[in-house]
């Protein structure tokens, strides 16, 4: 099937991309506002960008009323965030945290336990095994859209290899466990 993106509306473009660019890892981004309220939100339009500087990119949309999402506002203000990679054991609460709460903390609303690893960054979700502590690096202006890609520089990490975690990803509207690794063939 041939697809011309110029002939699709934004919902149709999203559907094609979210179903065909797979799997998409889930960044569970923790931020705090100026009053100290902790915001926790999942994003699957997220990917590693560079190892020099160590950085990731995440695309953040706006709320239904056109205002920036709390994650975007908090990163713009504090210039910091914590990214927790989602494991299967956190799937249900991560999914719940995607609900818009109008300023309330998802961690409090859904009883998501947090812990502080580095005082200068927002807390991480307790019992996550792959966490990145990031500084805001750059915002990209995509003319004509309300989606804002942010480049975040990884400054610190917490990796716990003792846990036998089951990373999950997004495929279309569904989630999936990342399967067994496949060894790369030798290059002749």
């Amino acid at each position: 099937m041939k697809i011309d993106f110029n002939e699709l509306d934004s919902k149709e473009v999203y559907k094609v991309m979210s179903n065909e660019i797979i799997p998409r890892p889930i960044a569970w981004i923790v931020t705090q506002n100026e009053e100290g309220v902790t915001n926790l939100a999942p994003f699957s339009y997220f990917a590693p960008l560079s190892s020099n500087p160590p950085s990731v990119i995440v695309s953040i949309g706006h709320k239904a009323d056109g205002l920036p999402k709390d994650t975007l506002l908090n990163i713009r203000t504090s210039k910091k965030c914590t990214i927790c990679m989602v494991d299967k054991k956190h799937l249900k609460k991560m999914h719940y945290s995607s609900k818009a709460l109008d300023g309330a903390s998802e961690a409090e609303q859904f009883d998501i336990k947090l812990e502080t690893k580095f005082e200068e960054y927002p807390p991480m979700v307790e019992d996550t095994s792959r966490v990145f502590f990031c500084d805001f690096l750059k915002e990209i202006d995509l003319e004509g859209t309300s989606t804002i890609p942010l480049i975040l520089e990884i400054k610190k990490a917490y990796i716990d290899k003792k846990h036998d975690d089951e990373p999950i990803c997004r495929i279309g509207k569904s989630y999936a466990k990342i399967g067994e690794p496949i060894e790369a063939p030798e290059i002749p």
Side-chain angles (χ1 to χ4, degrees):
M1 167 187 353
K2 292 181 179 180
I3 300 172
D4 184 342
F5 277 56
N6 292 318
E7 296 174 359
L8 303 179
D9 66 27
S10 61
K11 286 184 181 180
E12 293 168 319
V13 168
Y14 174 79
K15 185 176 178 182
V16 171
M17 291 180 67
S18 67
N19 281 302
E20 304 307 328
I21 300 174
I22 58 172
R24 297 187 325 273
I26 301 169
W28 207 358
I29 301 180
V30 184
T31 61
Q32 290 178 313
N33 68 16
E34 292 175 322
E35 290 79 40
V37 175
T38 301
N39 177 265
L40 191 59
F43 294 90
S44 64
Y45 266 50
F46 158 78
L49 184 63
S50 171
S51 56
N52 187 18
S55 52
V56 296
I57 189 165
V58 61
S59 291
I60 304 175
H62 282 65
K63 297 177 184 178
D65 62 7
L67 293 173
K69 289 187 175 182
D70 294 339
T71 302
L72 180 57
L73 285 174
N74 294 345
I75 292 173
R76 283 175 169 166
T77 302
S78 72
K79 309 293 188 215
K80 302 215 177 273
C81 70
T82 299
I83 297 175
C84 303
M85 303 306 297
V86 179
D87 299 330
K88 185 178 176 198
K89 65 183 169 274
H90 293 107
L91 176 63
K92 186 184 287 186
K93 289 187 178 187
M94 179 277 302
H95 186 72
Y96 292 168
S97 71
S98 66
K99 181 180 180 180
L101 294 181
D102 198 27
S105 172
E106 293 81 3
E108 290 177 17
Q109 182 77 26
F110 301 115
D111 192 33
I112 300 168
K113 304 286 187 246
L114 303 172
E115 66 177 296
T116 299
K117 288 290 182 195
F118 298 102
E119 291 295 326
E120 66 271 30
Y121 289 93
M124 61 179 259
V125 174
E126 191 175 275
D127 199 27
T128 49
S129 58
R130 292 162 291 126
V131 184
F132 302 98
F133 301 86
C134 303
D135 288 352
F136 170 79
L137 190 61
K138 185 176 187 173
E139 187 171 311
I140 300 170
D141 179 19
L142 294 179
E143 294 180 23
T145 181
S146 62
T147 299
I148 309 294
L150 297 181
I151 299 174
L152 305 168
E153 184 174 359
I154 300 170
K155 292 294 194 173
K156 299 177 185 284
Y158 171 77
I159 310 295
D160 184 355
K161 294 289 187 181
K162 292 181 288 187
H163 287 292
D164 191 17
D165 60 1
E166 297 178 274
I168 61 166
C169 59
R170 191 78 187 213
I171 298 178
K173 290 184 176 183
S174 301
Y175 299 104
K177 247 184 357 179
I178 296 176
E180 292 296 317
I182 299 172
E183 291 292 322
E186 286 191 37
I187 298 174

